[in-house]
Amino acid sequence: MVNELVLTIFIAVFLHAACYYPCSGSNAKINFREKEKEVLDQILGPGRYDARIRPSGVNGTVEGDGPTVVRINIFLRSISKIDDYKMEYSVQLTFREQWMDERLKFNDFHGKLKYLTLTEANRVWMPDLFFSNEKEGHTHNIIMPNVYIRIFPYGSVLYSIRISLTLSCPMNLKLYPLDRQICSLRMASYGWTTDDLVFLWKDGDPVQVVKNLHLPRFTLEKFLTDYCNSKTNTGEYSCLKVDLLFKREFSYYLIQIYIPCCMLVIVSWVSFWLDQGAVPARVSLGVTTLLTMATQTSGINASLPPVSYTKAIDVWTGVCLTFVFGALLEFALVNYASRSDMHRENMKKQRRQVELEHAQSLDGASDMIDTDSNATFAMKPLVRGPGDSMRLEKAHCEVHMQPRPNCCRSWLSKFPTRSKRIDVISRITFPLVFALFNVIYWSTYLFREEAEES
């Protein structure tokens, strides 16, 4: 009797379990698949939702009582280039918008439906946001369109899309290449005024930047978020902006521009150490360095926009070009002084020749006088007159009143010709003036950079 009762209970439990578990599995399948379709048909079906009507505002429950608030955050994926000539930069980002639409509320079946996912943006109302400083832009469709819309049970909508943009970035190049640039990303409403639509930055961390962001010639120092609402004759429109502060990497320009320019200037000084008679060598050296410096200057300006103000690199290349040109002019002056010295030396030789011939003629006349027996001899007086003593004292005073020789004059007296003196003076003057220019240049622009940074 007891065994039959136990057997009956075991069979009943087995049949109950066999019936219960398949039924529960089918219910779970309906909750996660069929119920999701039913919810979408319920909230987005024909005649149930109109995507042309904006959601109600946060200040009231009736549509139109207050503006719809859209919170925005972006994830900066990469910055491919910053173009100085076109004054633009290219960026790839993940753009997200989030707002509340009470018409999209649905039953989550006790947390089993966390959110609904859509890929068609035209199924729900979307903010009319645009990038006001955009030049070019496109979305990504490989392998599928990189966009999704999530609808949460309490009516919140999250829109996310990956886009690539080329944005304008007006630059001030007065301190180039020791400058910092601020490039903005501006987002505004195109048609809805602030009475209907308001953009706000998401609380917490509205802008995220990918780790190890690498730029070839810039460094992203920091970014700032702000509001930039604009007023026109058609109303006031909500606007958000993020300012990206870029610092230009100076090491590239130091290696590519500043050091080669210094080397060219120093090479032009080699002309001062060549012999003044080596005309082909000095001319070819001066012309070669001048043309090389001019070519480098034109190459630098070709990569920059034609602005009306003077840049820091213009001051540097202009002064270096002036030094190279001055070295070439110095040789022209030396050549002129050398020919002048030769002409003077020839005049001196001719004068000496004339004096020598005159002296020889006088000697011949005196010989003729000595042979004459009736010649008279003039004897110098043995007693000096009072005028003679005064002349001696005056000559003695003039000797003592002569200025002492200057060290520079005594040093220059070692070089008898003017051309040689010009070369020697240039060997000292050019490096000293160039060193003084470097001190003034770097102290001026580095201090200005620190002042703008502060």
Side-chain angles (χ1 to χ4, degrees):
M1 186 69 178
V2 175
N3 292 333
E4 293 178 357
L5 180 61
V6 171
L7 181 60
T8 304
I9 293 173
F10 178 77
I11 293 173
V13 171
F14 178 79
L15 293 175
H16 180 268
C19 178
Y20 175 76
Y21 285 107
C23 294
S24 62
S26 62
N27 290 335
K29 184 177 181 181
I30 292 174
N31 287 337
F32 286 101
R33 297 295 181 264
E34 297 295 333
K35 289 298 181 181
E36 184 175 356
K37 178 181 179 300
E38 293 178 3
V39 169
L40 286 174
D41 293 338
Q42 180 183 358
I43 62 177
L44 297 177
R48 297 178 180 272
Y49 184 88
D50 193 345
R52 298 173 297 176
I53 307 300
R54 71 172 180 86
S56 60
V58 295
N59 296 329
T61 57
V62 183
E63 292 187 7
D65 284 351
T68 302
V69 176
V70 179
R71 298 188 179 275
I72 294 175
N73 73 312
I74 60 176
F75 175 66
L76 191 62
R77 291 183 173 271
S78 65
I79 300 176
S80 58
K81 68 172 182 177
I82 300 177
D83 195 335
D84 298 318
Y85 188 83
K86 296 182 179 180
M87 291 194 178
E88 64 184 20
Y89 71 105
S90 299
V91 62
Q92 182 186 127
L93 52 89
T94 298
F95 176 74
R96 305 186 187 99
E97 295 176 308
Q98 193 166 9
W99 66 92
M100 182 69 68
D101 194 342
E102 296 180 355
R103 297 172 295 175
L104 299 177
K105 289 182 178 180
F106 63 90
N107 183 13
D108 62 348
F109 296 96
H110 305 288
K112 293 182 180 180
L113 285 179
K114 294 183 179 180
Y115 53 82
L116 304 175
T117 302
L118 299 176
T119 57
E120 300 175 359
N122 57 356
R123 297 289 300 275
V124 297
W125 176 88
M126 293 290 299
D128 61 342
L129 181 140
F130 78 105
F131 298 92
S132 59
N133 60 334
E134 172 200 355
K135 288 187 174 181
E136 295 178 359
H138 67 273
T139 59
H140 296 264
N141 298 317
I142 300 175
I143 298 175
M144 293 292 291
N146 298 164
V147 58
Y148 68 80
I149 299 174
R150 290 178 181 175
I151 303 175
F152 294 89
Y154 50 90
S156 178
V157 182
L158 173 62
Y159 174 74
S160 177
I161 186 172
R162 186 166 72 98
I163 53 179
S164 293
L165 300 170
T166 299
L167 305 165
S168 64
C169 178
M171 299 181 183
N172 186 353
L173 301 174
K174 289 184 178 180
L175 297 181
Y176 176 91
L178 300 168
D179 58 333
R180 285 177 168 84
Q181 300 297 336
I182 298 178
C183 296
S184 299
L185 175 63
R186 294 174 176 266
M187 300 160 285
S189 172
Y190 190 81
W192 298 96
T193 63
T194 53
D195 296 331
D196 299 317
L197 181 62
V198 173
F199 292 125
L200 297 177
W201 286 111
K202 186 178 180 180
D203 297 333
D205 193 8
V207 178
Q208 300 94 38
V209 180
V210 67
K211 294 182 179 179
N212 301 324
L213 179 64
H214 177 70
L215 295 173
R217 288 184 293 178
F218 287 88
T219 300
L220 179 60
E221 287 192 330
K222 60 182 179 179
F223 54 88
L224 301 173
T225 57
D226 201 357
Y227 297 89
C228 54
N229 292 3
S230 60
K231 291 183 179 181
T232 65
N233 54 3
T234 58
E236 182 180 0
Y237 298 91
S238 182
C239 175
L240 302 179
K241 73 171 182 176
V242 53
D243 293 330
L244 306 174
L245 179 60
F246 296 103
K247 180 183 179 181
R248 198 181 300 271
E249 289 292 339
F250 180 69
S251 57
Y252 169 81
Y253 301 93
L254 179 65
I255 297 173
Q256 296 294 328
I257 296 177
Y258 285 91
I259 292 180
C261 288
C262 285
M263 294 173 65
L264 285 174
V265 172
I266 295 173
V267 167
S268 67
W269 297 342
V270 176
S271 174
F272 306 150
W273 298 87
L274 297 179
D275 186 73
Q276 58 189 9
V279 177
R282 298 188 68 164
V283 170
S284 60
L285 180 63
V287 172
T288 302
T289 52
L290 182 62
L291 292 177
T292 306
M293 191 66 213
T295 303
Q296 186 166 4
T297 302
S298 62
I300 295 170
N301 293 328
S303 62
L304 296 174
V307 295
S308 59
Y309 48 82
T310 302
K311 303 180 290 292
I313 194 68
D314 294 335
V315 176
W316 175 265
T317 55
V319 172
C320 290
L321 188 62
T322 303
F323 271 93
V324 174
F325 183 68
L328 185 60
L329 290 183
E330 188 270 348
F331 169 68
L333 182 61
V334 167
N335 187 266
Y336 174 78
S338 176
R339 287 186 285 108
S340 178
D341 291 338
M342 292 177 61
H343 179 71
R344 182 180 298 179
E345 189 67 24
N346 292 332
M347 293 297 293
K348 288 182 178 179
K349 289 182 178 179
Q350 292 179 3
R351 190 179 300 111
R352 291 172 185 172
Q353 186 67 25
V354 171
E355 291 178 354
L356 181 60
E357 292 177 356
H358 183 66
Q360 290 178 354
S361 62
L362 292 178
D363 290 340
S366 62
D367 292 339
M368 293 176 63
I369 293 174
D370 290 338
T371 56
D372 192 357
S373 58
N374 297 326
T376 57
F377 297 93
M379 301 296 292
K380 295 182 179 180
L382 297 177
V383 181
R384 292 189 181 94
D388 297 334
S389 61
M390 292 178 64
R391 284 193 295 269
L392 290 174
E393 291 179 0
K394 184 178 180 180
H396 184 72
C397 292
E398 288 178 355
V399 171
H400 285 279
M401 291 177 64
Q402 288 182 354
R404 295 182 180 180
N406 193 357
C407 60
C408 295
R409 291 182 179 178
S410 61
W411 177 67
L412 289 175
S413 62
K414 298 179 181 179
F415 310 100
T417 60
R418 289 187 301 172
S419 57
K420 192 64 176 178
R421 291 178 184 177
I422 294 174
D423 271 342
V424 172
I425 294 174
S426 299
R427 294 173 190 174
I428 301 173
T429 305
F430 273 72
L432 288 179
V433 175
F434 189 69
L436 179 62
F437 162 71
N438 273 270
V439 172
I440 297 174
Y441 179 86
W442 295 113
S443 60
T444 300
Y445 284 102
L446 289 179
F447 288 154
R448 287 181 62 181
E449 181 188 12
E450 293 177 359
E452 287 200 356
E453 181 181 1
S454 61

